[in-house]
């Protein structure tokens, strides 16, 4: 269910440069400074819904240290993760293609900070700024390739391997071997029942690849978890 967003900007407003988001940090300094004038830094909380399919896109987000899960929704309740966004990316890129309505449910997977910009301001800057156009073309191409790979993975690979892949991607985006993911959230992300997540997580624990208690996950054997994962993880890492 959609949660109303009501944030107050953090005291640490957007820096003159936007180096805390790796996507924006790749832009020339002058262009970063121009975008920074339109950005504010806000805090988002775990479980918060930043977009809902069919609702107007009011803001675009550039995560700093939070993590956002992108969920495809069927019949209003069934979900499947089609991507995730950390400090390497952004939420809301399709607005520059004229998509004023959100296409996915975006749920905060890990609390933290993000730059936020009004969608209209972002579109205006996109058409003014050639460096941003080139960057967004590459980024949307990569995001589409990842969404396609997730669809293939969800259809053809066993749940244990898919869970291992998901945990590895989360680790890479958070740059931490320890993080919090509930059974319920993983079930929504992987498009399965909670009992399926429990069985898959137990199998990985029995192999001493992870520990998992009350949603607190620690990766004990990264190499072993990569071996347990499907080859999709390597494709994600390369991209």
């Amino acid at each position: 269910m959609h949660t109303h967003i009501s944030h107050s900007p953090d005291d640490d407003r957007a820096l003159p440069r936007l180096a805390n988001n790796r996507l924006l940090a790749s832009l020339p300094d002058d262009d970063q400074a121009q975008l920074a004038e339109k950005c504010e830094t806000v805090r988002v909380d775990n479980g918060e819904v930043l977009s809902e399919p069919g609702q107007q896109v009011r803001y675009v987000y550039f995560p700093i240290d939070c993590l956002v899960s992108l969920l495809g929704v069927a019949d209003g309740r069934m979900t499947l993760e089609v991507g995730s966004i950390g400090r390497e990316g952004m939420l809301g890129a399709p607005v520059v293609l004229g998509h004023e309505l959100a296409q996915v449910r975006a749920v905060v997977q890990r609390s933290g900070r993000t730059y936020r910009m009004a969608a209209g301001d972002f579109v205006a800057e996109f058409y003014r700024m050639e460096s941003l156009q080139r960057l967004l073309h590459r980024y949307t191409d990569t995001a589409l390739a990842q969404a396609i790979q997730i669809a293939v993975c969800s259809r053809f690979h066993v749940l244990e391997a898919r869970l291992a892949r998901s945990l590895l991607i989360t680790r890479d985006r958070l740059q931490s071997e320890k993080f919090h993911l509930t059974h319920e959230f993983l079930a929504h992300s992987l498009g399965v029942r909670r009992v399926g997540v429990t069985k898959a997580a137990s199998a990985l624990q029995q192999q001493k690849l992870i520990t998992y208690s009350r949603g607190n996950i620690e990766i004990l054997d990264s190499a072993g978890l990569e071996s347990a994962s499907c080859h999709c993880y390597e494709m994600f890492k390369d991209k």
Side-chain angles (χ1 to χ4, degrees):
M1 183 173 67
H2 181 72
T3 302
H4 176 67
I5 305 169
S6 179
H7 297 302
S8 297
D10 284 352
D11 291 334
D12 53 332
R13 300 284 293 183
L15 303 171
R17 295 181 66 249
L18 300 171
N20 289 324
N21 175 274
R22 292 168 63 185
L23 186 69
L24 295 177
S26 65
L27 293 169
D29 289 355
D30 289 346
D31 289 342
Q32 286 187 53
Q34 180 70 25
L35 292 175
E37 294 178 2
K38 304 292 179 64
C39 282
E40 59 181 351
T41 304
V42 299
R43 185 168 184 83
V44 291
D45 297 321
N46 184 46
E48 193 166 347
V49 179
L50 302 181
S51 74
E52 192 72 57
Q55 293 189 351
Q56 185 173 6
V57 177
R58 296 177 56 207
Y59 299 102
V60 296
Y61 296 86
F62 303 90
I64 297 171
D65 53 11
C66 64
L67 189 64
V68 180
S69 177
L70 307 180
L71 303 173
V73 182
D75 299 327
R77 58 184 181 84
M78 295 183 292
T79 59
L80 178 68
E81 188 173 60
V82 295
S84 60
I85 301 169
R87 63 183 302 225
E88 83 296 330
M90 69 168 292
L91 171 65
V95 295
V96 302
L97 302 176
H99 296 295
E100 298 180 356
L101 303 181
Q103 299 169 310
V104 297
R105 178 179 295 162
V107 182
V108 178
Q109 185 174 334
R110 183 194 187 188
S111 301
R113 297 169 300 152
T114 176
Y115 297 126
R116 184 176 76 174
M117 185 188 305
D121 288 341
F122 181 69
V123 172
E125 293 298 331
F126 174 81
Y127 284 107
R128 186 194 67 80
M129 195 177 294
E130 290 186 4
S131 64
L132 185 59
Q133 293 173 22
R134 293 192 296 270
L135 181 65
L136 262 293
H137 289 155
R138 296 198 304 273
Y139 179 70
T140 53
D141 180 66
T142 299
L144 176 60
Q146 291 182 346
I148 293 171
Q149 193 61 40
I150 287 176
V152 172
C153 183
S154 299
R155 174 63 180 84
F156 295 109
H157 296 154
V158 298
L159 181 56
E160 184 180 323
R162 291 167 55 203
L163 176 60
R165 180 260 299 166
S166 180
L167 296 180
L168 288 166
I169 292 174
T170 299
R171 177 205 62 178
D172 292 348
R173 289 206 159 107
L174 296 179
Q175 297 183 332
S176 174
E177 304 288 334
K178 299 180 180 180
F179 42 88
H180 184 84
L181 292 175
T182 65
H183 276 69
E184 182 178 8
F185 189 90
L186 285 169
H188 284 301
S189 297
L190 297 170
V192 298
R193 294 188 301 169
R194 290 179 60 177
V195 64
V197 173
T198 299
K199 290 180 179 179
S202 295
L204 295 178
Q205 283 198 105
Q206 290 172 5
Q207 298 172 62
K208 301 187 185 306
L209 303 179
I210 67 169
T211 60
Y212 189 16
S213 176
R214 298 181 182 275
N216 296 312
I217 298 172
E218 181 178 0
I219 295 176
L220 302 176
D221 182 354
S222 293
L225 194 61
E226 289 188 29
S227 296
S229 172
C230 52
H231 71 278
C232 298
Y233 170 66
E234 288 297 327
M235 299 183 68
F236 273 95
K237 189 165 63 172
D238 291 343
K239 290 185 182 302

